[in-house]
Amino acid sequence: MSIQLSNIKFSYPNASHKSVLNIEQWSVNDGDKLFIYGSSGCGKSTLLNIISGILCPSAGSISVLGEPLDKMSSSQRDRFRANNIGYVFQQFNLISYLNAKENIALASHFSKRNKMESLDNKITTLLEALEVNEDDWSRPTSMLSIGQQQRIAIARAFINSPKLLIVDEPTSSLDEPSRDKFLSLLTTLCDVNQTTLLFVSHDTRLKSHFDVVQNFTDINNEEVKG
Amino acid sequence: MFIHLAIKSLLNRKGSIILTIATISVSLFVMLGVDHIRHQAKASFASSVSGVDLIVGGRTGSMNLLLYSVFRIGAPTNNLSWQSYKRLSKKPSVRWAVPISLGDSHKGYRVIGTTPSYFEFYSFTNKQPLHFKQGKAFEGVFDIVLGANIAEQLGYSLGDTITLSHGIGSTSFRKHDNLPFKVVGILKATGTPVDQTLHVSLQGLEAVHVTEPLAIRRLKETPKMTLAKAMNLTPNSVTAIMIGLKSKMAVFNFQRQINTDKQEPLTAILPGVALSQLWQTMSVFDNTLRLISYLVIISSLIGLSATLLSSIKERLNEIRLLRIIGASSVYVFSLIELEALLIAFISVIIALVSLSMVLSVSQEIILNSYGVMIKPLIFSESSIELIIGFFLFVFIAAIPPAITAFSAAKNSHA
């Protein structure tokens, strides 16, 4: 099992009466490419933050890649995240004043597990695989197109060979051809690296690219009214 | 990678960071400059006279006597008689006594009349005696010895002739141009008022004040007259006497003797005591300057804090991203602190470099116009203490923005 949740409850500390998540049992198998859809504001991102260990559930137990996240300290979770989880957002995926290579190297810097001697080679391979123009590797990422930025974000997410990749609405700012390109590159890399993919979007047209499709309201028992 | 990230982040915000660095550099420049000049002035001041046990003048205030006899500041109020000089110099406890006479000038620089033993006994900075760069002490009535700065500033060398002006100030209307003096010696630089002084014999000073035309003509015919032959030019009075005693123990006793002298009202001061009293009177000024320089630093650091704090809001995405790729909240805190310390470091370098440059350029000017020797080297113990203290304050000033970033990192979620 890649992810296993049981009896997870969550509410934000500043609004503790308002429960956001209530998940009895939910799990994701190793190597699955899972698509979760749901309208915005329904708690999808909160779930992703709990899985990546940025947020801690109010109650219940969670294990990711066999590690009990709810029993770890916050710094242990930081290290676990750096080592095992790749993350791609809708936007602001990159530090704008660093170039593509530096952004990727930074992600590797936080992962103490694999000190790669050939970091530069690996960055090059990833950027080539993601068809990022070589001219753009050393430019500040703020000067690149959104499509380029999102592909660099995938490279950044893959640099530590994560076992789990979380992708949160990455395509909403892309046009249709770049979106399809983006998805095919993403799924190919997941296959190559045997990475479990957790893809969240409100856009159900994307679901054809995935093995498993779930509606978020089937996972979360809490009715969240935005 | 950590430092690289901080540098790149600062470069990304060049505009506001450069202004912050400029503000802090200027305030550091003020603080270090004030501190340096304070110390140098004090050192230069305290070393202006040394090895002199007592300075004796006519009845006057001790500050006044010190100012005109050592610093050539102000005008002597009272002279003392030649008889008193003779009498005091013969006292058994006196090892040496050197009379000085003030009142004339050359191009705004003071002329002091004295005896050749002045060059033997007068000393400065830890009893360093005066040394000749060129030439020797005066032997003739119309010989003159120049302080290092005079020779340099006015471009005089051995053998040149100089005329004196009556009174002090560069635009005197009464010039003693009938009787020129010949430069026979140039002293090495001391960083004390001696550098700004021209030295002639008491007899020479007496000679230029002769008013009888016949006597003047006679003097003009004998420009090489030696001091020994100038018996008739012995002065009636002198401005002050510098005295060295055989035993330091006698100094207070001897001072009281002079101050209570029955034959002439006299004042005797201990130069060391008077110097520190004079410095004390300036301590209010001194402390005010220091306080202002600290306030300038504090205000610039508050500015630094504000700049960083307002940048945190724009950097929330960056902080969230750092968290996602595995940076801890402490890392984010340290990043902000590092950025502040980098700004501080650059500011210190700029301030130190510009201060040394300004000091080395203005060294001459300060020495010439204030008689204060300022060394351009600014790594004194106290400036290092100030810099360490400054970094400490930078760290504290960066805590509010760093804490804000830290809590943003703690609560950051997509």
Side-chain angles (χ1 to χ4, degrees):
Chain A
M1 284 296 154
S2 193
I3 303 172
Q4 198 151 23
L5 304 183
S6 60
N7 300 318
I8 289 292
K9 285 191 168 57
F10 182 84
S11 54
Y12 284 101
N14 51 2
S16 50
H17 57 280
K18 193 177 147 194
S19 180
V20 181
L21 289 182
N22 181 3
I23 301 172
E24 278 175 16
Q25 290 295 332
W26 183 65
S27 58
V28 178
N29 291 322
D30 283 345
D32 268 1
K33 285 201 272 295
L34 176 65
F35 181 80
I36 302 173
Y37 64 93
S39 54
S40 34
C42 65
K44 296 181 306 235
S45 297
T46 307
L47 175 64
L48 298 185
N49 280 323
I50 286 176
I51 293 168
S52 59
I54 288 187
L55 292 176
C56 221
S58 314
S61 60
I62 170 170
S63 97
V64 175
L65 306 169
E67 301 283 336
L69 275 194
D70 51 308
K71 294 189 177 62
M72 287 185 186
S73 72
S74 118
S75 63
Q76 281 173 320
R77 287 201 306 271
D78 290 339
R79 204 165 310 127
F80 176 78
R81 179 168 63 254
N83 290 337
N84 299 296
I85 303 176
Y87 217 120
V88 179
F89 302 102
Q90 182 178 356
Q91 53 184 347
F92 307 121
N93 270 303
L94 302 170
I95 291 180
S96 58
Y97 51 82
L98 298 181
N99 65 34
K101 291 176 88 172
E102 289 167 333
N103 261 291
I104 300 169
L106 185 64
S108 162
H109 166 69
F110 288 113
S111 152
K112 301 283 185 289
R113 189 182 56 178
N114 38 351
K115 276 278 160 248
M116 278 164 291
E117 291 145 23
S118 54
L119 177 64
D120 213 52
N121 281 341
K122 189 159 183 195
I123 293 174
T124 309
T125 315
L126 272 169
L127 286 172
E128 275 168 357
L130 286 158
E131 298 170 21
V132 179
N133 230 328
E134 195 168 342
D135 298 342
D136 297 335
W137 293 2
S138 303
R139 275 197 214 166
T141 51
S142 52
M143 294 171 68
L144 306 179
S145 71
I146 302 288
Q148 292 273 52
Q149 289 189 24
Q150 292 301 68
R151 274 181 272 159
I152 293 163
I154 302 178
R156 205 265 333 277
F158 272 106
I159 190 67
N160 298 322
S161 314
K163 297 200 188 64
L164 174 64
L165 179 66
I166 299 175
V167 185
D168 188 2
E169 303 263 18
T171 56
S172 48
S173 39
L174 299 180
D175 57 17
E176 201 166 320
S178 358
R179 190 176 62 207
D180 287 337
K181 180 86 191 167
F182 176 86
L183 281 172
S184 71
L185 286 169
L186 183 65
T187 46
T188 314
L189 269 174
C190 285
D191 287 335
V192 172
N193 290 279
Q194 294 174 311
T195 302
T196 306
L197 174 64
L198 196 55
F199 193 104
V200 171
S201 179
H202 66 278
D203 187 355
T204 48
R205 287 173 298 175
L206 305 175
K207 64 185 177 190
S208 57
H209 292 86
F210 298 88
D211 312 333
V212 188
V213 177
Q214 289 184 346
N215 186 341
F216 187 70
T217 47
D218 298 337
I219 304 169
N220 187 11
N221 297 329
E222 199 65 50
E223 279 290 313
V224 180
K225 287 167 189 77
Chain B
M1 196 73 198
F2 185 40
I3 291 177
H4 181 75
L5 185 64
I7 291 172
K8 280 266 186 165
S9 155
L10 290 178
L11 285 177
N12 185 43
R13 290 173 286 134
K14 272 191 223 81
S16 63
I17 298 303
I18 286 173
L19 284 178
T20 311
I21 287 176
T23 317
I24 298 175
S25 303
V26 169
S27 57
L28 272 172
F29 181 92
V30 170
M31 181 180 81
L32 293 172
V34 164
D35 180 68
H36 183 67
I37 290 176
R38 231 164 45 83
H39 278 89
Q40 291 290 307
K42 191 173 180 180
S44 174
F45 190 75
S47 61
S48 5
V49 59
S50 143
V52 175
D53 292 320
L54 283 170
I55 299 173
V56 182
R59 180 55 53 83
T60 181
S62 60
M63 287 301 113
N64 199 24
L65 179 55
L66 181 78
L67 285 174
Y68 67 69
S69 64
V70 175
F71 294 99
R72 333 268 192 250
I73 294 171
T77 44
N78 266 321
N79 276 6
L80 66 144
S81 66
W82 185 253
Q83 284 74 22
S84 292
Y85 160 65
K86 280 287 171 207
R87 192 157 46 80
L88 288 177
S89 60
K90 281 179 190 137
K91 297 256 183 189
S93 52
V94 172
R95 191 160 67 86
W96 55 266
V98 175
I100 58 169
S101 256
L102 295 160
D104 278 4
S105 64
H106 174 74
K107 297 193 176 168
Y109 293 99
R110 300 286 181 106
V111 174
I112 160 176
T114 184
T115 62
S117 51
Y118 176 87
F119 303 106
E120 193 181 333
F121 295 118
Y122 190 87
S123 48
F124 64 98
T125 324
N126 302 324
K127 305 197 175 167
Q128 271 179 267
L130 298 174
H131 287 292
F132 282 90
K133 193 161 81 183
Q134 289 172 313
K136 53 186 170 42
F138 45 74
E139 283 166 356
V141 174
F142 297 107
D143 287 352
I144 192 164
V145 171
L146 306 181
N149 269 85
I150 309 265
E152 202 170 306
Q153 288 301 308
L154 304 178
Y156 291 135
S157 51
L158 293 184
D160 286 355
T161 53
I162 290 175
T163 56
L164 308 186
S165 314
H166 190 72
I168 49 189
S170 49
T171 52
S172 175
F173 292 109
R174 282 178 59 195
K175 293 206 188 324
H176 304 301
D177 39 13
N178 290 329
L179 299 164
F181 286 79
K182 193 171 127 232
V183 178
V184 296
I186 295 168
L187 294 168
K188 275 190 185 162
T190 61
T192 73
V194 172
D195 295 353
Q196 326 271 350
T197 309
L198 300 94
H199 309 77
V200 296
S201 62
L202 289 168
Q203 290 87 338
L205 214 50
E206 200 62 27
V208 294
H209 288 97
V210 168
T211 49
E212 200 192 330
L214 202 70
I216 294 176
R217 199 184 315 147
R218 265 221 313 280
L219 284 168
K220 275 175 93 168
E221 283 161 3
T222 53
K224 290 197 170 140
M225 181 161 55
T226 59
L227 294 178
K229 285 186 182 158
M231 293 305 283
N232 55 335
L233 291 173
T234 304
N236 291 325
S237 64
V238 293
T239 308
I241 315 169
M242 311 246 173
I243 291 177
L245 296 176
K246 284 176 183 150
S247 156
K248 297 268 179 236
M249 308 300 281
V251 71
F252 290 106
N253 204 3
F254 196 64
Q255 185 191 20
R256 197 172 55 244
Q257 264 186 49
I258 294 170
N259 283 338
T260 57
D261 192 279
K262 290 282 189 305
Q263 297 180 25
E264 191 177 359
L266 296 174
T267 302
I269 56 166
L270 279 65
V273 174
L275 278 171
S276 64
Q277 273 175 357
L278 187 57
W279 193 255
Q280 287 286 308
T281 63
M282 291 200 266
S283 70
V284 176
F285 177 67
D286 184 43
N287 288 336
T288 311
L289 258 186
R290 202 157 43 160
L291 184 67
I292 290 170
S293 71
Y294 292 162
L295 288 177
V296 169
I297 284 284
I298 288 172
S299 72
S300 76
L301 290 184
I302 292 172
L304 169 72
S305 193
T307 309
L308 288 177
L309 193 58
S310 67
S311 78
I312 301 297
K313 278 214 176 91
E314 297 153 22
R315 298 174 73 186
L316 289 178
N317 283 318
E318 181 188 331
I319 290 167
R320 182 198 60 170
L321 186 64
L322 284 171
R323 289 282 289 146
I324 287 292
I325 61 177
S328 62
S329 310
V330 175
Y331 185 94
V332 175
F333 179 91
S334 322
L335 182 65
I336 306 298
E337 282 287 354
L338 180 67
E339 287 180 12
L341 292 172
L342 277 174
I343 290 173
F345 181 74
I346 296 167
S347 307
V348 166
I349 300 284
I350 291 175
L352 286 178
V353 169
S354 49
L355 185 59
S356 331
M357 271 168 22
V358 167
L359 283 177
S360 59
V361 169
S362 59
Q363 191 181 15
E364 283 290 276
I365 302 161
I366 295 175
L367 188 57
N368 286 333
S369 33
Y370 302 104
V372 176
M373 181 76 166
I374 303 285
K375 292 186 197 124
L377 188 71
I378 43 184
F379 282 104
S380 66
E381 206 171 297
S382 87
S383 70
I384 287 167
E385 275 171 22
L386 280 178
I387 291 171
I388 291 170
F390 166 73
F391 276 111
L392 212 72
F393 274 102
V394 169
F395 185 85
I396 295 167
I399 286 178
I403 290 275
T404 310
F406 176 83
S407 59
K410 268 264 178 238
N411 304 319
S412 74
H413 28 71

